[in-house]
């Protein structure tokens, strides 16, 4: 023993000379003691690991797999967490030069508003308890019979859902198809499989690199903090992607996503302003679609909790909601840039489908009352030349600047007029009338033909047409097709004619680019025909509207060219947007080698891939006779004809 040391030493001395420590120089007993110490230490560490709360369920073998799984999922960030301040400036191939173009404060400006503002520089949930099972007012025997009648397409249990509302018997014994729907055409079947593979690629990479975050940066392979929902992990991609997973039959993925919503989705942490419109169309709409498809009351209850947080935004002198709300304080406001802090037509006009349905499934009339009131205000207002300006001041009740558009700032207002009528099984005739009246004025003042023979919707700025159409406005081809086929009257042929022409023009905007993807906005005149002129209009961010119109037009006309146009877009997406880490937008559709923006938008999973999948499915899957898509492509059931409506019996 050393005289000076506090701890015992096993230093050996030979002839008073210290001998360096080596395995060879240890005595057998010492080796044994050292071996025992190491083994004991190892066992303690290993054992403690599995006593951590997250890993306590299941047997040891199962736990080992769980741990392995979680490490895999966490990806490289588990070991090297990303420095938050470097998030947007981190080296990403081919994209740094124009990063500025996309860096807009996500808490201040919503998606379309953000993009619009950029283009128009010239003018302008903690863990919640599981809800009680809602038992439908049918006898047990009857319930059983109903469930037995369902084909495998409606078995939510397959998706790991326990807490379901049984499909109610009314209004018919017919159960719409919500999975399956294979087309008889082998080419369509093959293409559909390809779309499912694309969804898997987008989803798996989101799970691997950005699980729980709002969106994925597929090149940087991390969460996108510049998402419109900010940096808080609200899982926008999960909510937006859920019903697509369900429809595509991706059971494991759906179950994992569903469980995340049940245990992790927590809006209480949201302390900054969020867009009422975006939360409604993506979160409320996405959750309600999942409730309809599965009967899982967790989805309905989450939708309601989120919608409740939106309600204070309606507390304005006119009842026209403000655009932004702070979930913590309930304070709401409008964007400063929006014509004297006006509310935006496409935002306050795109709440009706979700709020009306929410009232019906919860039995609480308040949500519908809010949107009915918006309708009343709009009905009573004087419309310049029958047109709806994009801005309305919620304090004074006056229109703001007289800008009109079928694209950004106007678009989905028109969409919801028609779709609310469809949702009510064509009973809300006031909505249809407003739609027809609005279209009459739009056709008269905004519908144009280019010198090259292309039909488009111009924008109006104080009576002056601007010969420009947004990618966002390309949804209108499909919408007019739907308007034509859902009511036979003196304008239905004209609607179909314009629907076909607008869809053709939008296809041209893709076909005339190097990448075969379309720009954010395209112009006519000034030497342009369906082409972007400004560099700020040349980007493509995985938007759905053109493909959405292909989907509707194929379903409504059965003209195969729409399936072929969809396939052209798929090939372009694969060539220019697919990267090993998911799908990215591009900054210039006219470049052979475009820079990539490193964002996988949540609507790519919600809309673009869903519409493509359905384009190559047969008509029985999410039939347009039984479902109506909200503006984020979340299918909501049509009242009175769809047994998945699941109206509250309270
Ligand atoms: C989606 O969020 C919705 O389709 C919305 O109505 C418009 N913008 C995006 C997709 O481009």
């Amino acid at each position: 023993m050393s005289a000076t040391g506090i701890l015992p030493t096993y230093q050996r001395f030979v002839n008073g000379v210290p001998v360096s420590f080596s395995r060879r120089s240890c005595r057998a007993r010492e080796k044994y003691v050292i071996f025992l110490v190491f083994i004991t230490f190892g066992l303690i560490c290993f054992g403690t690991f599995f006593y951590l709360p997250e890993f306590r369920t299941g047997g040891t073998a199962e736990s080992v797999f769980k741990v392995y799984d979680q490490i895999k999922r966490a990806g490289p960030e588990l070991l090297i967490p990303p420095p938050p301040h470097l998030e947007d400036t981190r080296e990403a191939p081919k994209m740094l030069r124009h990063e500025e173009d996309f860096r807009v404060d996500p808490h201040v400006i919503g998606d379309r508003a953000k993009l619009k503002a950029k283009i128009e520089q010239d003018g302008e949930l903690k863990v919640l308890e599981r809800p009680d099972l809602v038992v439908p007012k049918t006898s047990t025997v009857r319930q059983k019979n109903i469930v037995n009648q369902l084909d495998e397409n409606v078995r939510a249990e397959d998706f790991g859902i326990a807490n379901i509302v049984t499909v109610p018997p009314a209004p018919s014994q017919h159960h719409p198809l919500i999975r399956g729907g294979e087309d008889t055409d082998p080419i369509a079947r093959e293409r559909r499989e390809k779309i499912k593979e694309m969804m898997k690629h987008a989803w798996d990479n989101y799970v691997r690199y950005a699980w729980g975050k709002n969106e994925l940066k597929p090149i940087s392979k991390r969460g996108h903090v510049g998402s419109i929902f900010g940096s808080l992990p609200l899982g926008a991609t999960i909510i937006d992607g859920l019903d697509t997973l369900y429809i595509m039959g991706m059971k494991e993925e759906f179950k994992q996503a569903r469980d995340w919503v049940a245990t992790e989705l927590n809006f209480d942490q949201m302390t900054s302003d969020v867009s009422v419109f975006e939360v409604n169309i993506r979160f409320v709409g996405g959750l309600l679609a999942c409730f309809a498809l599965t009967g899982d009351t967790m989805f309905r209850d989450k939708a309601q909790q989120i919608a409740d947080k939106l309600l204070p935004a309606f507390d304005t002198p006119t009842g026209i909601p403000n655009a932004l709300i702070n979930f913590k304080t309930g304070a709401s406001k409008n964007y400063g840039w929006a014509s004297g802090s006006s509310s935006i037509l496409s935002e306050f006009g795109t709440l009706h489908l979700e709020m009306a349905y929410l009232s019906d499934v919860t039995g609480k009339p308040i949500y519908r009352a809010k949107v009915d009131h918006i309708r009343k205000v709009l009905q009573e207002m004087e419309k310049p030349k029958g047109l709806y300006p994009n801005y309305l001041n919620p304090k004074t009740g006056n229109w703001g600047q007289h800008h009109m558009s079928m694209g950004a700032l106007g678009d989905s207002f028109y969409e919801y007029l028609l779709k609310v009528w469809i949702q009510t099984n064509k009973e809300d005739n006031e909505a249809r009338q407003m739609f027809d009246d609005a279209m009459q004025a739009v056709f008269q003042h905004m519908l144009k033909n280019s010198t090259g023979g292309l039909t488009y919707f111009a924008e109006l700025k104080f009576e002056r047409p601007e010969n420009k159409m947004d990618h966002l406005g390309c949804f209108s081809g499909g919408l007019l097709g739907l308007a034509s086929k859902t009511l036979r009257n003196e304008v239905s042929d004209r609607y179909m004619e314009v629907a076909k022409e607008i869809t053709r023009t939008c296809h041209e905007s893709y076909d005339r680019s190097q990448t075969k993807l379309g720009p954010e906005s395209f112009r006519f005149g000034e030497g342009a025909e369906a082409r972007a002129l400004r560099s700020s209009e040349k980007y493509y961010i995985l938007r759905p509207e053109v493909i959405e119109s292909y989907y509707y037009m194929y379903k409504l006309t059965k003209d195969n060219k729409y399936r072929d146009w969809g396939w052209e877009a798929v090939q372009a997406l694969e060539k220019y947007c697919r990267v090993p880490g998911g799908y990215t937008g591009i900054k210039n559709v006219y470049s052979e080698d475009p820079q990539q923006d490193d964002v996988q938008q949540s609507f790519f999973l919600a809309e673009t891939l869903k519409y493509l999948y359905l384009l190559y499915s047969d008509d029985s899957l999410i039939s347009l006779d039984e479902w109506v898509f909200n503006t984020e492509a979340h299918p909501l059931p049509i009242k009175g004809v769809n047994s998945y409506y699941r109206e509250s019996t309270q």
Side-chain angles (χ1 to χ4, degrees):
M1 297 282 280
S2 155
T4 50
I6 298 170
L7 294 171
T9 167
Y10 289 95
Q11 177 68 63
R12 291 179 64 209
F13 294 86
V14 175
N15 294 333
V17 179
V19 179
S20 65
F21 187 84
S22 81
R23 270 168 58 207
R24 282 170 149 260
S25 61
C26 288
R27 291 190 194 115
R29 193 169 53 91
E30 290 165 351
K31 283 182 190 168
Y32 182 65
V33 170
I34 291 166
F35 177 72
L36 267 183
V37 167
F38 272 109
I39 284 288
T40 313
F41 182 70
L43 278 175
I44 289 171
C45 291
F46 191 70
T48 311
F49 199 56
F50 290 98
Y51 272 93
L52 291 175
E54 285 185 79
F55 305 123
R56 282 175 74 167
T57 49
T60 312
E62 198 190 325
S63 300
V64 172
F65 282 118
K66 272 189 190 160
V67 172
Y68 173 68
D69 225 44
Q70 298 214 1
I71 291 170
K72 249 186 13 189
R73 224 180 298 129
E77 291 187 15
L78 180 75
L79 303 170
I80 319 162
H85 61 288
L86 290 181
E87 178 67 20
D88 276 339
T89 51
R90 205 176 114 136
E91 175 72 24
K94 301 182 187 176
M95 62 167 294
L96 288 177
R97 227 176 330 138
H98 294 102
E99 189 78 60
E100 275 307 308
D101 292 348
F102 288 81
R103 207 180 296 127
V104 181
D105 184 351
H107 306 298
V108 180
I109 306 179
D111 172 43
R112 78 184 58 206
K114 171 176 75 180
L115 296 166
K116 186 77 181 172
K118 296 301 288 177
I119 294 166
E120 294 208 342
Q121 279 155 356
D122 57 342
E124 312 181 48
L125 307 181
K126 86 197 182 191
V127 181
L128 296 167
E129 280 174 21
R130 281 182 162 244
D132 293 338
L133 179 67
V134 175
V135 183
K137 288 181 183 161
T138 47
S139 75
T140 327
V141 180
R142 180 135 175 76
Q143 277 178 43
K144 223 173 155 207
N145 285 339
I146 293 157
V147 173
N148 287 341
Q149 284 162 17
L150 308 183
D151 60 25
E152 69 108 28
N153 291 297
V154 295
R155 291 197 171 276
E157 296 94 320
D158 290 356
F159 285 77
I161 297 164
N163 209 11
I164 62 166
V165 178
T166 320
V167 175
S172 76
Q173 291 299 314
H174 165 75
H175 296 284
L177 204 60
I178 53 178
R179 282 194 284 137
E182 274 220 318
D183 202 277
T184 49
D185 174 5
I187 296 174
R189 285 214 294 272
E190 203 179 298
R191 288 176 176 179
R192 193 170 86 137
E193 268 314 295
K194 173 64 191 167
I195 309 303
K196 188 168 173 181
E197 184 277 328
M198 291 168 75
M199 176 70 181
K200 192 152 175 46
H201 182 67
W203 178 259
D204 285 350
N205 278 294
Y206 167 75
V207 173
R208 189 170 302 130
Y209 300 118
W211 182 241
K213 308 275 171 51
N214 289 316
E215 287 170 324
L216 164 71
K217 283 172 83 71
I219 297 169
S220 310
K221 296 184 174 165
R222 59 173 58 196
H224 173 45
V225 296
S227 148
I228 51 165
F229 297 108
S231 56
L232 282 171
L234 299 172
T237 297
I238 299 179
I239 317 284
D240 247 3
L242 261 162
D243 56 9
T244 306
L245 294 172
Y246 193 89
I247 291 165
M248 291 185 180
M250 296 170 66
K251 299 180 188 180
E252 286 306 310
E253 292 86 348
F254 178 85
K255 183 178 176 339
Q256 184 187 11
R258 183 261 171 217
D259 290 348
W260 185 91
V261 175
T263 59
E264 303 292 330
L265 178 61
N266 178 7
F267 263 91
D268 290 342
Q269 50 180 331
M270 193 78 201
T271 51
S272 49
D273 298 336
V274 273
S275 158
V276 173
F277 160 79
E278 297 288 0
V279 169
N280 176 61
I281 65 167
R282 301 191 199 205
F283 283 82
V284 180
L287 292 165
L288 285 176
C290 287
F291 170 64
L293 290 169
T294 66
D296 185 345
T297 51
M298 182 277 295
F299 289 121
R300 178 198 60 198
D301 296 346
K302 289 275 181 183
Q304 184 180 359
Q305 286 157 13
I306 295 170
D308 284 344
K309 289 190 178 291
L310 298 178
L311 292 179
F314 293 78
D315 297 336
T316 63
T318 55
I320 296 291
N322 280 322
L324 297 165
I325 180 128
N326 187 306
F327 276 5
K328 201 173 174 63
T329 63
S332 67
K333 64 181 182 197
N334 272 334
Y335 302 112
W337 55 264
S339 187
S341 293
S342 288
S343 300
I344 295 165
L345 182 70
S346 65
E347 298 203 339
F348 65 78
T350 309
L351 302 167
H352 207 120
L353 285 176
E354 297 81 1
M355 294 296 156
Y357 185 48
L358 186 59
S359 276
D360 283 353
V361 296
T362 58
K364 301 210 161 50
I366 181 152
Y367 313 106
R368 175 179 270 116
K370 297 289 180 193
V371 290
D372 278 351
H373 180 76
I374 297 176
R375 161 88 63 82
K376 187 163 169 281
V377 172
L378 287 174
Q379 268 284 41
E380 287 168 3
M381 287 188 71
E382 202 178 306
K383 286 120 204 138
K385 295 185 176 162
L387 293 165
Y388 290 83
N390 292 339
Y391 303 108
L392 200 167
N393 190 311
K395 293 195 182 101
T396 63
N398 295 326
W399 296 117
Q401 288 169 331
H402 283 197
H403 288 187
M404 288 83 163
S405 169
M406 281 296 282
L409 309 181
D411 52 8
S412 44
F413 159 70
Y414 305 101
E415 179 183 352
Y416 272 34
L417 289 179
L418 180 72
K419 289 185 172 177
V420 166
W421 171 72
I422 292 175
Q423 182 189 40
T424 59
N425 196 16
K426 306 183 180 177
E427 281 187 0
D428 185 350
N429 286 317
E430 183 180 69
R432 174 79 202 209
Q433 190 62 54
M434 284 172 80
F435 173 80
D436 287 331
D437 291 348
M439 284 306 109
Q440 193 185 339
V442 166
F443 277 25
Q444 193 180 341
H445 300 287
M446 295 161 71
L447 189 63
K448 307 276 177 201
N449 283 308
S450 74
T451 45
L454 295 178
T455 301
Y456 62 98
F457 286 116
E459 297 188 359
L460 280 187
K461 291 194 171 153
F462 300 110
E463 315 232 333
R464 264 195 44 237
E466 188 179 7
N467 295 307
K468 167 184 150 254
M469 191 166 161
D470 292 336
H471 191 289
L472 287 166
C474 284
F475 82 101
S476 57
L479 187 78
L480 289 166
L482 195 61
S484 165
K485 287 285 184 177
T486 46
L487 187 65
R488 244 353 276 158
N489 63 11
E490 62 285 0
V491 286
S492 42
D493 288 344
R494 178 74 179 133
Y495 279 164
M496 186 50 86
E497 201 176 282
V498 176
K500 287 180 181 169
E501 285 307 313
I502 290 287
T503 309
R504 179 169 83 91
T505 299
C506 291
H507 172 254
E508 287 298 316
S509 78
Y510 275 49
D511 202 43
R512 293 173 189 206
S513 78
Q514 268 62 24
T515 56
K516 304 292 173 198
L517 291 166
E520 179 68 3
S521 302
F522 44 91
R523 294 177 183 267
F524 300 88
E526 307 169 55
E529 276 281 317
R531 278 180 69 94
L533 287 178
R534 304 175 188 179
S535 60
S536 59
E537 300 169 341
K538 295 181 179 171
Y539 61 90
Y540 172 70
I541 56 167
L542 306 172
R543 284 198 190 279
E545 292 77 14
V546 176
I547 287 167
E548 175 181 346
S549 279
Y550 297 162
Y551 158 75
Y552 279 106
M553 293 308 286
Y554 176 72
K555 293 289 162 187
L556 300 168
T557 67
K558 286 284 139 39
D559 185 337
N560 244 320
K561 84 174 168 218
Y562 297 113
R563 277 187 162 173
D564 292 340
W565 287 356
W567 192 243
E568 289 171 11
V570 170
Q571 288 169 307
L573 282 165
E574 289 297 274
K575 185 164 177 192
Y576 295 102
C577 302
R578 186 173 178 134
V579 291
Y583 287 87
T584 168
I586 56 173
K587 295 188 177 183
N588 183 356
V589 295
Y590 303 109
S591 163
E592 293 279 9
D593 183 20
Q595 291 189 325
Q596 295 170 317
D597 71 8
D598 197 13
V599 180
Q600 179 174 286
Q601 304 279 346
S602 76
F603 52 65
F604 182 63
L605 292 86
E607 302 191 71
T608 313
L609 292 177
K610 187 186 287 131
Y611 283 129
L612 280 169
Y613 186 79
L614 293 173
L615 175 63
Y616 303 114
S617 300
D618 77 13
D619 291 351
S620 59
L621 181 61
I622 312 289
S623 159
L624 286 172
D625 294 332
E626 288 149 338
W627 300 90
V628 60
F629 292 98
N630 88 339
T631 194
E632 191 76 1
H634 296 304
L636 299 174
I638 295 177
K639 198 171 183 169
V641 297
N642 189 329
S643 51
Y644 289 85
Y645 199 82
R646 304 178 195 279
E647 192 159 6
S648 163
T649 49
Q650 291 167 8

